[in-house]
């Protein structure tokens, strides 16, 4: 519910767009000429925070110049500051002939002659100063000038590039995104070495000032989609962005849907693949989960591994995933419907064995299923929150002891335990967590329908779901592409995956231009010499 | 708009919840019927159901303990109509009778002869629950007796009976599994007479109906398939023997496998027999009109193998085999002709002759239908072609090895 | 304006015509020749389709109601439009009531009919709420599953050895007349003539060049499909049993027994039938909404609610299922539906043709 209210607030604020109402916005204060004043102001504005380091030098470049070096402890790389900034300032002697006046020139000297650092920019306001030091850069102020320079020195402790935790593959790259935006963009750029890979930056979050980067390939991605995404990003007015989930709820197409209209991935190869298909990636600083838009429902059933494995097994796995998804959504409700409404559908022996299990079970099948499902959801949540050391204990207690004991006590039937267990496992098959979550929620709705109207209830529920899906769009792209609207060439990479050499086109309905992927079908065959030899 | 829509769905689901579950029935509120029998008693219908007791059948330790309980129990109810009798069952059962898994319907001869099966068929074809694939059977005595017999190896005797029929149809081709829908179709068809197999109990019934019977190695009583009941319109008009029913199978092209036993030679003093197993067969009926008389030409073709040979013949010789083939053909042909005369006597058409004529030559069919006993106006010519494909794993009979032995 | 593409049109045409049809045995009055009835009706219906297409061709960017008002003048046009709105609502209601009763007979005997029909109307209304485009997309998505489902059932009939082709003989036992009498106008009116509702949708097609080809192709495809199912029922159940069976397809499917495991597949066929019913009732519903929107200019959503409520109300008109089917098969199909499916379109086509002739002549005279 929370994002819903927020979006309402956002829209109400749209009217007074220009007047920034926030108290947190940095006032446009121009730097003072006097170093002491500047330093004092910084101290005041940061509340003299201990991690804002202000190093004052009374003599720099061998001359009596008052200089302050300001950076944030932990964000800036101390080694760079020591070796490239402080060393230059303290040890190098300026030429004797250079005059000290005007002090402005000192800044120029430092910038042009002494600093052994790649990226150096001028700053002249307090806002620029804080932006710089909070991004990990080092600011150098010189007494007597109302300007400063910022030298890039970002560093500090960061998590390295690790194997992704949420999406593991057997075959494929082992690297995953980190919390650092620049590392993440570099991971993608390393895969797509093309100047047409464009990045558009936005800063979102009045308090947190989080960097958000939108990445796409100019010339493949649809301009409409890119514009739409940027427009939606610009509309966001929120105090903080701590994870890409914040952004996701603001820019998704429909709030009241169990299905995701944006997906995320932790894998650079998956994102690179999506970008190459004409999609747009949204990277948020501080989150290893990169958003992809637009998406279609069939894309959610695909894993990046599908493209690395042979096409036959990839196709098989895709179909299995869809079946597993259907199972995880419908199995308990089907069980309820068949055992309480349509007993004639079961083979006689199965019916009798189920009936024998149900003898003495005190609850109706629906209550039994609901209780078991809730038990499972609780177990699952406990498994995620538990410290890792106790996790295995929980699974043993939960799965084995609880399930077994419940059956033996005659509280639930064994068949129900099997159904719930299989449903749970089927739920883990979906490559996208957001998709398996939607199945999790819908499951309960279908169970209710099945308990009241049997299979007809399930059919009606499915029909409603289908209408909902057909009406859903993700950034202007119909959700059920390529089945509805149907596109023959896109079938090659939807439910099935054909070999790479036959995938002539990119998904046509997502990127409307430049859809050619291969020049021609390049079916591999033995070279002519070999064939002749064989003959 | 969204909110209004959401409200609508909320209202709907609340309505569903509060009023819901009209038709749901839990598994443990059903009594699953596996076989039904229909008798007539004092001018009323008497219906008996064989109800399965799940706990005693499933090995799972869900409810009660297995083994000590009889696998099935039997209810009998009476009423003026079948539906009423069915309704009266709820006076004595704690659970709803569930018909969808009923696999056998047994009718007593009395019912089939006097009342006819029309009403019964109507009752079983009408409700959604009942299944059209249940087997229809006849019995000469009281039908409910058959439900009481416990069948060794099997827990649910209703299903077991169906399997007995299936198996004998596959191996002997004498009886045919008569599904309710086929039975109804044959009764309704203007060109066909219906038939249904008979089921009988041989042995002491009372001893086989208690659970103790299953503790013995030899059964006191067994359920057996017997003769074939023949219907005209919806009434039973007579029975034909098992031998005749195999001939009917030949005529109506229903032979899947059959054992034909015949003497080695007509001259031999001692009865020495050879068994021939039919493995594949086909029968083609060709109606023709010759000199104003309808004649059916039946072409029977069969392929099979020798399964047993009791006499000394050189089965390696093609000429001997040809001779045997001729003997078998003659025997089958003779049997079929005998059966045909029986059927003509009863004025029933089990071979599908009228159907064949109707389909081929509607004009003749119309002419025939004007006659009171149209079957008698049809004559039959049988042509049998038997092929002995092989003699299995040995060639000459084993007894040929004994011929020259001195001690 | 909302656009549909060619695949959507094909899917709509196919599922619409399948509708409830497999459930009934068309032309059962002709006994074993019922399948010939289907062929005759299909060919006669094809002529009707050509008439509809002719009307549409002359008025590319107009729907039925706009054409009516264009060619028949304001007063007559409005009257006929209103009549069509009632006709479409009535057809939609017939499907609703039919399926509600089928569910009651075969699935949920104690569940109130009013609730079942309410659920169906709500689902249809939901689809229409979302717009023509979404509805067509839903249909497009359903098509492969439906065809696959029917194909599977067809396959299982073969595997379970229930088909006896000899039951079709003798062909034409009583001559051709009973066949034609069954076919015209009964089987034309249901299902083939119901295509008239497409006059309300055709203008949305994005590439009208293929209109005729696509429509005729999908029409013939469905015709063959229906023929196959007609034949299946005949050969499985025999004409005698068929003649007393309420829902033949349901009965046939129940005879499938494969390997002691696949049996009693009636819920599957109910699902397939529901897809057909949904498409058909929603299409008629949508036709009525489009018609009403031509007359009254209020929002699409309000119209949906009004028409839906109307359909729901009249679906209680028949006191029972027996009366409902009786009036449908003996009165509507014979006398009422042909008016909307045959006579008015023929008249309209004549008017269109006359106007075209005149305008051409006028042009010619002006030219000389």
């Amino acid at each position: 519910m929370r994002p819903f209210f927020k979006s309402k607030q956002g829209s109400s604020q749209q009217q007074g767009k220009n007047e920034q109402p926030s108290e947190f916005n940095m006032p446009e204060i121009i730097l003072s000429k006097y170093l002491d004043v500047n330093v004092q102001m910084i101290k005041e504005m940061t509340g003299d925070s201990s991690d804002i380091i202000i190093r004052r030098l009374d003599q720099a470049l061998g001359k009596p110049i008052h200089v302050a070096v300001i950076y944030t402890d932990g964000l800036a790389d101390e080694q760079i500051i020591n070796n490239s900034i402080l060393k230059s300032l303290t040890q190098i002697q300026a030429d004797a002939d250079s005059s000290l006046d005007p002090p402005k020139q000192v800044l120029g000297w430092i910038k042009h002659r002494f600093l052994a650092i790649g990226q150096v920019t001028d700053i002249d306001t307090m806002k620029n100063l804080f932006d710089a030091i909070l991004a990990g850069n080092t600011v150098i102020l010189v007494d007597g000038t109302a300007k400063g320079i910022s030298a890039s020195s970002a560093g500090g402790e960061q998590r390295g590039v690790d194997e992704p935790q949420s999406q593991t593959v057997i075959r494929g790259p082992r690297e995953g995104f980190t919390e650092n935006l620049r590392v993440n963009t570099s991971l993608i750029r390393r895969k797509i070495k093309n100047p047409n890979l464009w990045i558009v930056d936005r800063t979102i979050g009045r308090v947190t000032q989080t960097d958000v980067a939108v990445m796409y390939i100019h010339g493949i991605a649809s301009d409409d989609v890119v514009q739409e995404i940027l427009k939606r990003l610009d509309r966001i007015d929120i105090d903080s962005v701590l994870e890409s989930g914040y952004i996701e709820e603001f820019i998704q197409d429909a709030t009241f849907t169990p299905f995701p209209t944006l997906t995320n991935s932790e894998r650079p190869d998956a994102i690179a693949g999506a970008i190459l298909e004409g999609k747009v990636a949204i990277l948020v600083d501080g989150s290893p989960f990169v958003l992809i838009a637009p998406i279609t429902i069939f894309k959610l059933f695909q894993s990046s591994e599908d493209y690395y494995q042979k096409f036959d097994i990839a196709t098989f796995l895709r179909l299995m995933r869809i079946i597993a998804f259907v199972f995880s959504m419908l199995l308990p409700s089907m069980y309820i419907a068949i055992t309480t409404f349509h007993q004639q559908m079961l083979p006689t022996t199965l019916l009798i064995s189920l009936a024998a299990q149900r003898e003495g079970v005190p609850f109706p099948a629906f209550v039994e299923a609901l209780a078991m499902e809730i038990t499972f959801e609780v177990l699952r949540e406990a498994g995620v929150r538990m410290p890792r050391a106790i996790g295995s204990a929980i699974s043993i207690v939960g799965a084995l002891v609880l399930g077994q004991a419940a059956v033996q006590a005659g509280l639930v039937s064994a068949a129900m335990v099997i159904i719930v267990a299989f449903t749970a496992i089927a739920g883990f098959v979906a490559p996208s967590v957001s998709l398996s979550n939607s199945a999790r929620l819908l499951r309960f709705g279908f169970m209710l329908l099945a308990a009241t109207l049997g299979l007809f209830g399930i059919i009606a529920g499915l029909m409603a779901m289908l209408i909902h899906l057909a009406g859903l769009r993700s950034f202007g792209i119909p959700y059920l592409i390529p089945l509805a609207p149907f596109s023959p060439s896109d079938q090659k990479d939807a439910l099935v995956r054909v070999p790479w050499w036959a995938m002539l086109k990119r998904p046509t309905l997502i990127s409307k231009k430049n859809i050619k992927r291969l020049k021609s079908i390049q079916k591999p065959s033995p070279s002519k010499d070999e064939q002749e030899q064989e003959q | 708009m969204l909110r209004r829509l959401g409200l609508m769905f909320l209202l709907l689901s609340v309505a569903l919840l509060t009023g819901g579950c009209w038709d749901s029935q839990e598994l443990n509120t059903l009594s699953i019927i596996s076989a039904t029998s229909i008798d007539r008693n004092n001018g009323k219908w008497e219906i008996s159901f064989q109800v399965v007791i799940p706990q005693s059948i499933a090995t799972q330790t869900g409810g009660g303990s297995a083994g000590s309980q009889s696998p099935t129990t039997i209810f009998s109810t009476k009423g003026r109509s079948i539906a009423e009798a069915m309704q009266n069952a709820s006076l004595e059962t704690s659970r709803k009778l569930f018909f969808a898994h009923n696999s056998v319907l047994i009718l007593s001869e009395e019912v089939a002869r006097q009342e006819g099966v029309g009403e019964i068929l109507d009752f079983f074809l009408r409700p959604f629950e009942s299944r059209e694939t249940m087997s229809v059977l006849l019995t000469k005595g009281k039908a409910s007796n058959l439900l009481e017999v416990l069948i060794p190896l099997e827990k649910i005797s209703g299903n077991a009976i169906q399997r007995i029929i299936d198996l004998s149809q596959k191996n002997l081709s004498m009886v045919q599994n008569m599904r309710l829908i086929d039975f109804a179709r044959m009764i309704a068809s203007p060109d066909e007479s219906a038939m249904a197999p008979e089921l009988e109990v041989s042995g002491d019934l009372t001893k086989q109906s208690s659970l103790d019977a299953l503790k013995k190695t030899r059964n006191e009583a067994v359920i057996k398939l017997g003769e074939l009941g023949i219907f005209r319109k919806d009434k039973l008009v007579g029975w034909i023997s098992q031998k005749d029913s195999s001939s009917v199978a030949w005529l109506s092209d229903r032979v899947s496998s059959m054992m034909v036993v015949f003497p080695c030679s007509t001259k031999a003093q001692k009865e020495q027999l050879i068994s021939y197993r039919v493995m594949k067969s086909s029968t083609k009926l060709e109606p023709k009109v010759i000199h104003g008389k309808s004649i059916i030409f039946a072409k029977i073709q069969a392929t099979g193998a020798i399964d047993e040979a009791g006499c000394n013949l050189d089965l390696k010789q093609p000429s001997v085999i040809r001779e045997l083939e001729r003997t078998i053909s003659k025997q089958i042909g003779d049997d079929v002709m005998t059966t045909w005369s029986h059927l003509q006597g009863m004025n029933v058409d089990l071979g599908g002759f009228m159907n064949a004529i109707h389909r081929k030559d509607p004009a003749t069919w119309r002419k025939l239908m004007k006659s009171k006993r149209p079957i008698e106006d049809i004559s039959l010519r049988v042509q049998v072609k038997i092929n002995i494909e092989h003699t299995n794993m040995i060639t000459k009979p084993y007894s040929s090895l004994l011929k020259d032995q001195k001690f | 304006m909302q656009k549909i593409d060619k695949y959507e049109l094909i899917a709509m045409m196919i599922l619409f015509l399948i509708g409830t049809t497999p459930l009934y045995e068309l032309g059962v009055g002709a006994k074993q020749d019922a399948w010939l009835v289907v062929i005759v009706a299909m060919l006669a219906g094809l002529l009707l389709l050509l008439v509809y297409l002719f009307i549409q061709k002359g008025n590319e960017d107009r729907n039925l109601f706009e054409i009516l008002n264009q060619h028949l003048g304001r007063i007559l046009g409005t009257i006929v439009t209103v009549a069509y709105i009632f006709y479409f609502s009535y057809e939609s209601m017939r499907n609703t009531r039919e399926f509600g009763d089928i569910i009651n007979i075969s699935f949920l005997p104690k569940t109130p009919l009013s609730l079942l029909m309410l659920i169906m109307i709500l689902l249809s209304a939901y689809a229409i709420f979302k717009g023509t485009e979404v509805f067509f997309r839903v249909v497009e998505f359903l098509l492969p599953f439906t065809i696959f489902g029917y194909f599977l059932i067809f396959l299982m009939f073969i595997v379970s050895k229930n088909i006896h082709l000899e039951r079709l003989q003798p062909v034409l036992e009583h001559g051709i007349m009973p066949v034609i009498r069954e076919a015209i106008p009964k089987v034309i009116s249901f299902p083939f003539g119901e295509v008239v509702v497409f006059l309300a949708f055709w203008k949305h097609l994005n590439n009208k060049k293929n209109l005729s080809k696509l429509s005729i192709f999908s029409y013939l495809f469905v015709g063959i499909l229906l023929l196959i199912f007609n034949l299946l029922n005949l050969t499985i159940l025999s004409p005698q049993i068929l003649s007393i069976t309420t829902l033949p397809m349901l009965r046939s499917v129940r005879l499938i027994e494969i390997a002691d495991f696949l049996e009693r597949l009636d819920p599957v066929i109910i699902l397939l039938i529901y897809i057909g019913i949904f498409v058909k009732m929603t299409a008629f519903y949508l036709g009525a909404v489009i018609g009403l929107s031509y007359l009254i200019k209020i929002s699409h959503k309000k119209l949906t609610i009004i028409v839906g409520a109307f359909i729901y109300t009249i679906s209680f008109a028949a006191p029972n299922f027996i009366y409902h089917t009786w009036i449908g098969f003996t009165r509507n199909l014979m006398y009422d539906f042909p008016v909307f499916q045959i006579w008015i379109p023929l008249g309209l086509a004549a008017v269109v043709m006359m106007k075209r002739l005149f305008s051409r002549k006028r042009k010619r005279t002006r030219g000389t």
Side-chain angles (χ1 to χ4, degrees), chain B residues 104-106 135-140 146 149 151 157-178 195-202 221-229 239-243 245:
Chain B
V104 174
L105 174 66
I106 305 171
S135 306
V136 179
L137 291 159
L138 298 171
T139 184
K140 283 180 179 157
L146 287 165
V149 181
I151 298 177
S157 54
N159 289 12
I161 291 171
Q162 202 173 32
R163 246 170 281 152
I164 291 174
I165 306 170
D166 273 338
L167 196 68
S168 64
Q169 183 186 356
K170 224 198 255 157
N171 291 341
L172 297 172
S173 304
M174 275 189 298
V175 280
Q176 205 208 342
N177 181 12
M178 198 44 76
M195 54 191 165
E198 184 221 4
L199 201 63
E200 59 181 12
V201 188
S202 68
V222 284
I223 280 184
K224 256 205 314 212
L225 286 166
E227 299 183 316
L228 204 57
W239 302 91
I240 57 172
S241 66
Q242 293 195 341
K243 202 173 171 195
S245 45

Side-chain angles (χ1 to χ4, degrees), chain C residues 211-232:
Chain C
L211 176 64
S212 306
K213 216 170 68 189
L214 294 176
S215 304
I216 292 170
F217 163 75
S218 24
Y219 179 88
L220 290 178
F221 180 84
V222 177
I224 291 164
L225 210 76
L226 295 181
L227 183 65
I228 290 174
F229 276 90
N230 194 283
L231 281 169
L232 281 178

Side-chain angles (χ1 to χ4, degrees), chain C residues 271-298:
Chain C
L271 196 157
L272 290 176
I273 294 290
Y274 178 65
I275 291 177
I277 291 258
F278 168 78
V279 172
K280 203 169 211 173
M281 66 179 274
T282 315
F284 278 122
Y285 185 173
L286 184 59
V289 169
I290 290 175
L292 200 60
S293 77
Y294 183 80
L295 289 184
I296 313 170
K297 300 273 181 281
I298 50 173

Side-chain angles (χ1 to χ4, degrees), chain B residues 301-342:
Chain B
Q301 274 189 324
T303 304
I306 301 290
D307 262 17
E308 185 187 336
C311 52
N312 190 0
L313 280 174
D314 190 359
L315 293 179
K316 275 180 170 172
Q317 291 296 326
S319 58
V320 175
I321 295 292
R322 220 170 297 138
E323 186 59 37
L324 287 179
E325 286 173 354
R326 222 167 289 146
T327 320
I328 303 170
S329 303
K330 189 170 179 321
Q331 179 168 339
I332 292 175
D334 290 348
D335 285 351
V336 168
M337 287 312 286
T338 324
T339 304
W340 174 237
S341 61
H342 289 170

Side-chain angles (χ1 to χ4, degrees), chain A residues 298 341-342 344-345 347 453 455-456 459-460 463-464 466-468 470-473 478 480 483-486 488, chain C residues 5 7 99 103 107-108 111 116 119 123 126-127 130 133-134 137-138 140-142 260-261 264 267 271 274 278:
Chain A
F298 295 106
F341 285 84
H342 315 291
Q344 69 267 29
M345 280 178 76
L453 292 168
L455 275 182
F456 177 71
I459 294 168
M463 192 61 88
L466 177 61
I467 298 169
H468 173 76
L472 214 55
R473 277 170 182 272
L480 289 178
L483 276 192
F486 188 78
Chain C
D5 68 15
Y7 298 108
F99 192 67
I103 291 277
F107 243 39
L108 308 167
T111 308
L116 294 175
I119 291 172
L123 282 175
Y126 183 42
K130 297 242 167 187
E133 214 174 292
V134 170
R137 228 181 281 149
V138 169
E140 189 180 19
F141 189 86
L142 288 171
D260 277 341
F261 173 68
R264 296 298 295 256
L271 196 157
Y274 178 65
F278 168 78

Side-chain angles (χ1 to χ4, degrees), chain A residues 31 68 70 89 106-112 115 119-124 129 132 137-142 145 147-152:
Chain A
L31 288 178
I70 308 157
L89 289 177
V106 176
L107 220 54
W109 288 343
I110 296 174
K111 189 173 164 189
H112 296 296
L115 274 187
Q119 192 187 346
V120 179
T121 49
D122 287 323
I123 52 173
D124 49 9
L129 185 142
N137 295 339
T138 305
V139 169
I140 303 167
L141 297 178
V142 177
T145 49
K147 283 206 169 133
I149 50 174
S150 130
S152 79

